[in-house]
Amino acid sequence: MKGKEPTREELLSFSSGIQMDSSAENTTPVSTEELQEKVRLAAESLISRQVEEGYWVEPLEADVTITSEYILLQYLLGRERDEFFRRAAPFILESQGEDGGWPLYHGGPAEISATVKAYLALKLLGYDADHPAMQRARALVLERGGAINVNVFTRITLALFGQYDWKGVPALPPEMILLPRWFPLSIYTVSYWSRTVIVPLLFIYHYKPLLELPPEKGVQELFITPMSEVRVHYAWDKHWVSWKNLFFVLDRILQAWNRHPPSFLRRKALKKAMEWMIPRLKGEGGLGAIYPAMANSVLALRLEGYAMDHPLVRRAIQSIDDLVFDLGEQQSVQPCHSPIWDTALALGALYEAGLDEGAPFVSRALDWFCRKEVRTVGDWSVRVPGVEAGGWAFQFENDYYPDIDDTSVVLMDFAKWVPEMGAYRDVFRRAIEWTLSMQGTDGGWGAFDKDNDFLFLNNIPFADHGALLDPSTSDVTGRVTELLGILGYDARTPVVRRALRFLRKEQEENGSWYGRWGVNYIYGTWSVVSALKAVGEDMSAPYVQKAMQFLFSRQNPDGGWGESCYSYFRKDTAGEGVSTSSQTAWALIALIHGGHVRHPAVSKGIDFLLSRQQADGKWLEQEYTGTGFPKVFYLRYNMYRDYFSLWALSLYRNVLLDGQSRVERLARRWKGNPYPVRSRFLA
């Protein structure tokens, strides 16, 4: 759906909502008139893109992997998607790097698994091995040892097309669904995203389906070692007694089990797996509302005999087709939708920009949040029984998997725009109670589950991506802590005290914090510093100023900040990369919160944002500054560059001229008398 133009009432409320203190002395080279105009332009642009129902969302872009996998899925299902195939091929070809392979992020080095999937997709689309792009890709893959070195998920993909022997894929026996919830290897000890991917994979592992390809469509030219010699490749740990070696031995046992499982037990396992999956397929969001799980679920249903026209299959396929989006004349596929996240952050930026609480776009968004509230008792309840469902997911619909990060930002929006809550009081109560209940025993919060931190499981052969779990992270913990600070809670409150202890422990030696869900140390540092400011920490404290020095030391000569996804591989590159609008905004927000609004570096950063703004009020940004899985999968949120830049400019203006942010003015009402949250989890 298209965005709508701002109404005259909204534009007028914008103009009247900003109160500039013209008597404030401006000691920076930034013109207040220019700043005001840029803020107005950015806010109008953002308001105009709100969808009539009340939300904001734009495509969530990733590398070619999802688009390639979508093409492969169509062939497995026997679907004709000629128009998409015609428009997707140039997207894949134009994304090829100069080194011949396909990268995981803009400007990054080639990654062998992404390259092999793109190569296979192009083969199925009719591109011959002699095509120049294919020759370059093949040369890179062979230079890196051949397709035998791809990751587990790519091995599974190749095996589905008869291009890789199943004995070269780590074991995943369906009987694992029968393990009790408390058992260390049960599906509930891994993250939500792993769980929703694994359960439908159990059917694929059992049936080992195969779509035989003619030789000219296959990719055997990418192998140095013949497929007949392929085995699970183990990089044994040098220590004989280690989790990695133990799991390697276990995998060999399970491989043998999978060849001759007791039939009655296998039938029971598959039945239970389908019973688990079907309720989570309800609605329009698909299983887990993320592409890999959604694609696997369709294959699982088909393998279990569900026809293509069965309502469950039709709905699951439609949820996948809904992820296709246009890129001019080309088409691509996004891994999921991000409306809750985009809407929550857009509202936060517009609040700091000074818009009036009575503007129609506000009530539209808040009412939409209410309609999207999660009321299903999901998988999180395994660790937190007896808590009423509440909160929000990341996507349009993902009722079994609300997340703490989104819920915290939505709750901040309610606290900012309608501090007395009024008709929203019950929604707010349920969501904050749920959020508080999810605090881990370490004092932090993960994204979807409590205490999902059996880190030894990352050593199993299936988990070669290193992202099997959902432990507490600094950025998510920072978001919840910031929410509590806005509501008037500080370190005297036990839940905040535990969170601060966790954050102090997680600080890096260079003063920064790791960013799990955004790139990377700039993102993590912004998230934590915002929280420290909100709960009233002493911003002159050495550990806080150490974070400030990290940011000062990473500013680029052009005045901006940037960080490459490569920092996930090499910590010594933290905060280094080409300047981007979103990362510059994060650094500026942190520095302003840290008491450096008049520092020359901040002025240079503001100048950077002002100079990069386009005539339509938007910013341009090609780099990937969002993280799906560190070292594996990265994202470009197409609205990050706009609402975070607006947020930073507005915060700078407010603190420079008023001495405080708009949120600080709001928080004063709760000082010494926090918003009444009646929860046993505050203690």
Side-chain angles (χ1 to χ4, degrees), residues 124-143:
L124 295 182
L125 293 180
Y127 286 82
D128 190 85
D130 292 331
H131 186 282
M134 307 293 273
Q135 290 180 339
R136 293 168 54 221
R138 183 167 65 253
L140 180 130
V141 172
L142 295 176
E143 179 186 309

Side-chain angles (χ1 to χ4, degrees), residues 128-183:
D128 190 85
D130 292 331
H131 186 282
M134 307 293 273
Q135 290 180 339
R136 293 168 54 221
R138 183 167 65 253
L140 180 130
V141 172
L142 295 176
E143 179 186 309
R144 298 198 179 181
I148 194 173
N149 291 319
V150 297
N151 61 29
V152 167
F153 288 112
T154 307
R155 294 184 198 183
I156 295 171
T157 300
L158 292 175
L160 287 169
F161 289 91
Q163 302 303 298
Y164 203 96
D165 197 302
W166 282 100
K167 63 178 174 284
V169 178
L172 198 64
E175 288 74 22
M176 69 179 296
I177 194 76
L178 301 175
L179 295 172
R181 294 178 172 186
W182 53 264
F183 193 77

